[in-house]
Amino acid sequence: MAVVFLGIGSNLGNKKANCLTAIDKLLAGGSEVVKISSPYDSKPWGVTDQPDFVNMAVEARTTMSPRELLDALKKIETDMGREPGQRWGPRLIDLDLLLYDDLIIQSDDLVVPHPLLHERDFVLMPLSEIAPDLVHPVIGKKIVELKEKLCNETDHFSEQQIQD
């Protein structure tokens, strides 16, 4: 089985519940969820005039190919009610394939590792919680190192772990 890491985010409706529902649907689709990060509140990235997000990361095992997994993630988004909209705009649910084993894939509609993974604090914070020593296959640095580097380079680090 392949080891995959996914990013999950929502900034509409019950954001935390939306993320947890997406994880349930991933499980129902046959993937084995191994680790789930805490939910984190985060500021919007790209388009800042929108509600804050809740973001999480998941480590899973799957027998799906990268293409099949991407299609399954898009289906979960659609099934949950996500509609096409503004790039980086508000969304009920967003599922990103961050890493698939140590594969490097470059195609028109599938890039692994996620091309912006190392630039997004809202991805690195939850991912570093569940896989701090995971090495980015292109950059060659641990996830925790990428997170620390980004923290040092930016004036804000928006993530706050949500306390229940």
Side-chain angles (χ1 to χ4, degrees):
M1 291 184 98
V3 177
V4 299
F5 290 88
L6 309 173
I8 301 174
S10 174
N11 75 335
L12 297 175
N14 187 332
K15 299 178 269 192
K16 182 178 174 185
N18 293 341
C19 293
L20 295 173
T21 296
I23 294 168
D24 287 343
K25 290 184 176 292
L26 185 66
L27 284 166
S31 293
E32 174 190 349
V33 173
V34 177
K35 290 182 187 173
I36 302 171
S37 77
S38 303
Y40 289 80
D41 279 324
S42 60
K43 299 292 179 198
W45 189 95
V47 176
T48 58
D49 185 21
Q50 61 179 312
D52 287 353
F53 278 80
V54 167
N55 290 99
M56 299 175 75
V58 170
E59 177 183 348
R61 305 279 188 273
T62 187
T63 58
M64 289 184 260
S65 71
R67 165 66 49 213
E68 291 169 333
L69 180 57
L70 180 63
D71 291 345
L73 296 176
K74 296 304 173 197
K75 182 172 182 348
I76 291 170
E77 289 177 341
T78 301
D79 289 351
M80 287 184 64
R82 179 169 173 180
E83 297 177 2
Q86 176 183 25
R87 183 175 188 187
W88 298 324
R91 64 223 30 225
L92 183 72
I93 193 69
D94 185 38
L95 301 172
D96 288 327
L97 174 53
L98 303 174
L99 297 154
Y100 187 105
D101 284 337
D102 59 355
L103 294 181
I104 299 170
I105 303 169
Q106 295 276 336
S107 70
D108 290 341
D109 58 346
L110 176 61
V111 179
V112 177
H114 190 286
L116 299 175
L117 182 157
H118 63 288
E119 297 177 12
R120 294 177 165 178
D121 54 359
F122 63 88
V123 173
L124 291 172
M125 192 65 160
L127 187 57
S128 68
E129 178 188 332
I130 63 171
D133 295 327
L134 179 68
V135 175
H136 190 294
V138 174
I139 298 172
K141 294 195 180 294
K142 293 179 181 180
I143 297 301
V144 70
E145 294 171 325
L146 295 173
K147 179 192 81 166
E148 289 168 359
K149 181 177 187 288
L150 187 62
C151 272
N152 291 334
E153 291 177 351
T154 59
D155 292 335
H156 74 286
F157 200 71
S158 59
E159 281 57 53
Q160 298 290 328
Q161 187 172 348
I162 297 172
Q163 302 297 318
D164 287 327

